Amino acid sequence: MIDMNLDALPLMRPGVVDVLARSLENPVLATARHRNGLQAAERLEASRAMVGGFLGAEPSEIVFVSSASEANTWALSGARFAGGRPPDHLLVSPLEHVSILKAAVNLQEQRKVSLTLLRLSSDGSVDIDWLRKHWPSGRVLVSVQGANPETGTLQPINEIGALVRERGGMFHSDFVAVEGWEALELDERPVDLATISSAVIGGPSGIASLWIRRGVRMIPLIHGGAQEEGRRGGTQPVFLSEGFGAAAQHAGIHGAVERQRLFDLDSLLQKKIMEEFPEVTLVGGASPRRQGILNLLVPGIDGQALLSLMDSEGVLVGTGSSCSSQSLKVSHVLTALGYSARAAQGSSVLSLGWWNQPSDISPWANAFRKGIQTLSKLKSTGTDSRP
């Protein structure tokens, strides 16, 4: 099975499963005051330190949550300015993950917070000049992802953050599609809040983190006990935190070598596509793009049908973001980038992970070619190619 899939959970890194199993052998609460509980608390904090080390952040700035969507939602709903006052304005990119877009709309409806979708440049990046000219008065919270998980489009996070800081605003970035592909060094960036995922770096699902810069005010996500310094009540999953920490540690050690291999693999894939599939369009191919994400538009082909055919060949790919893939709707990202619904329907997304190797290219190309040929033949005979 060749997994080049945005919708499947990434493979866990070596040793992570063993760490999870050992931790589950002693499932004690980290808040318990007896010996075993104190040991669990120590393991929890050691894991927090590993994640902080990987991100270039202080352990105290790492708050464990259940998912990146939860972190995104909390970043928008919980951020507070001086005096505990909420934002007056939310500025978000139209390319954001659905958790950001839906949370922003919900806040607009519930609190009458002003919501503005940022203008994009022709390459899909946020238009900073437009943002500078249209900066609203009052308390402003900006949320822009580091890279788009469907297209790989990179955003000028440091430049946006510098402007936000200059204007006295607050800046959140969803770094899920960036972590592991570059050194984040969060404490050195002009960012106040950052969403980080365990699964995308080869850790377990069910845990993620909202990085909160020291001094940034947040109202609690869940009211309860003193867990996560009172910011998120409820039982802390020690075993998941240990798995997250182990994955972060492994990624920190092996990341540079993995990135070079995957950068080379990305180049090989692009060359293969240009030579053997000239009819295919690479979304955002001319814009700044994070290597390892290739969104391919195949004219006249249904992406869901192509996915199913490739799956039957043992090759896993995606057609859009993981949280919207069940809806079978046209990607809002492709729509925001100006693609028609008809063109966007032919989307096939390759998302390389730390485990992929050059030997994965031929099986993918063979399955891709076979799927296109089959669907083209069905189309020519008037047969419905939808799954």
Side-chain angles (χ1 to χ4, degrees):
M1 189 73 72
I2 307 301
D3 187 353
M4 305 172 96
N5 183 13
L6 188 66
D7 296 335
L9 290 175
L11 301 179
M12 284 193 281
R13 289 178 176 273
V16 172
V17 172
D18 292 337
V19 167
L20 294 172
R22 286 197 301 271
S23 185
L24 284 170
E25 290 177 356
N26 187 22
V28 64
L29 297 179
T31 51
R33 294 300 88 192
H34 50 65
R35 179 176 57 190
N36 286 355
L38 294 174
Q39 290 174 348
E42 290 178 358
R43 300 201 309 272
L44 179 71
E45 295 312 310
S47 302
R48 199 186 308 275
M50 291 179 188
V51 175
F54 173 67
L55 299 175
E58 294 296 322
S60 62
E61 297 174 317
I62 305 297
V63 179
F64 289 130
V65 296
S66 68
S67 66
S69 290
E70 182 180 314
N72 282 340
T73 302
W74 186 22
L76 266 61
S77 64
R80 291 294 182 268
F81 287 80
R85 293 176 294 179
D88 297 314
H89 306 278
L90 295 176
L91 307 180
V92 303
S93 159
L95 303 182
E96 295 303 299
H97 189 269
V98 290
S99 59
I100 288 288
L101 296 175
K102 289 185 177 181
V105 170
N106 183 62
L107 289 170
Q108 180 188 38
E109 294 174 347
Q110 288 188 354
R111 301 183 187 168
K112 308 302 182 184
V113 176
S114 170
L115 171 61
T116 300
L117 293 181
L118 297 171
R119 180 175 293 180
L120 303 178
S121 301
S122 58
D123 63 3
S125 62
V126 169
D127 188 331
I128 298 179
D129 289 336
W130 182 92
L131 175 58
R132 183 177 290 106
K133 293 177 182 177
H134 293 81
W135 188 268
S137 60
R139 301 179 298 276
V140 181
L141 173 61
V142 180
S143 182
V144 178
Q145 61 193 186
N148 187 271
E150 291 185 49
T151 66
T153 301
L154 286 166
Q155 296 292 346
I157 294 301
N158 290 343
E159 289 83 355
I160 296 172
L163 175 60
V164 174
R165 183 166 289 181
E166 172 192 312
R167 299 297 175 90
M170 193 178 297
F171 188 32
H172 164 257
S173 186
D174 178 344
F175 278 114
V176 168
V178 178
E179 56 183 290
W181 288 83
E182 61 180 75
L184 292 183
E185 298 299 335
L186 292 179
D187 278 340
E188 303 300 320
R189 289 178 180 263
V191 176
D192 301 295
L193 301 161
T195 294
I196 302 296
S197 169
S198 163
V200 300
I201 58 168
S205 59
I207 188 168
S209 173
L210 180 65
W211 172 80
I212 304 173
R213 182 180 292 280
R214 189 186 304 105
V216 171
R217 299 172 177 85
M218 297 290 294
I219 61 172
L221 173 63
I222 298 175
H223 294 283
Q227 296 94 339
E228 301 301 305
E229 297 187 359
R231 294 176 288 191
R232 186 186 190 276
T235 301
Q236 294 157 305
V238 177
F239 76 105
L240 291 177
S241 73
E242 289 194 87
F244 191 178
Q249 187 177 58
H250 188 278
I253 294 172
H254 301 280
V257 173
E258 291 171 357
R259 285 193 290 272
Q260 187 57 59
R261 169 167 48 83
L262 293 172
F263 289 168
D264 293 342
L265 182 54
D266 181 280
S267 297
L268 289 172
L269 275 167
Q270 287 195 68
K271 182 179 179 181
K272 187 84 168 177
I273 292 164
M274 292 176 60
E275 293 177 349
E276 300 190 21
F277 306 99
E279 74 279 16
V280 171
T281 298
L282 174 61
V283 177
S287 62
R289 184 179 62 84
R290 197 220 80 181
Q291 290 92 338
I293 298 177
L294 297 94
N295 192 322
L296 310 178
L297 296 184
V298 188
I301 294 297
D302 185 281
Q304 289 292 333
L306 180 58
L307 179 152
S308 297
L309 290 173
M310 295 183 71
D311 179 66
S312 67
E313 296 291 321
V315 177
L316 306 182
V317 296
T319 58
S321 66
S322 59
C323 288
S324 62
S325 60
Q326 298 301 314
S327 66
L328 301 183
K329 295 180 181 179
V330 172
S331 164
H332 72 278
V333 172
L334 296 181
T335 300
L337 290 175
Y339 291 94
S340 67
R342 185 179 183 84
Q345 192 176 27
S347 172
S348 176
V349 182
L350 303 183
S351 184
L352 303 179
W354 63 270
W355 60 89
N356 283 121
Q357 301 288 339
S359 58
D360 294 333
I361 293 180
S362 290
W364 166 80
N366 293 335
F368 191 60
R369 183 183 304 105
K370 185 176 180 180
I372 292 175
Q373 291 173 345
T374 298
L375 294 176
S376 297
K377 185 176 181 180
L378 289 173
K379 184 178 179 181
S380 67
T381 59
T383 305
D384 191 344
S385 64
R386 290 172 295 182

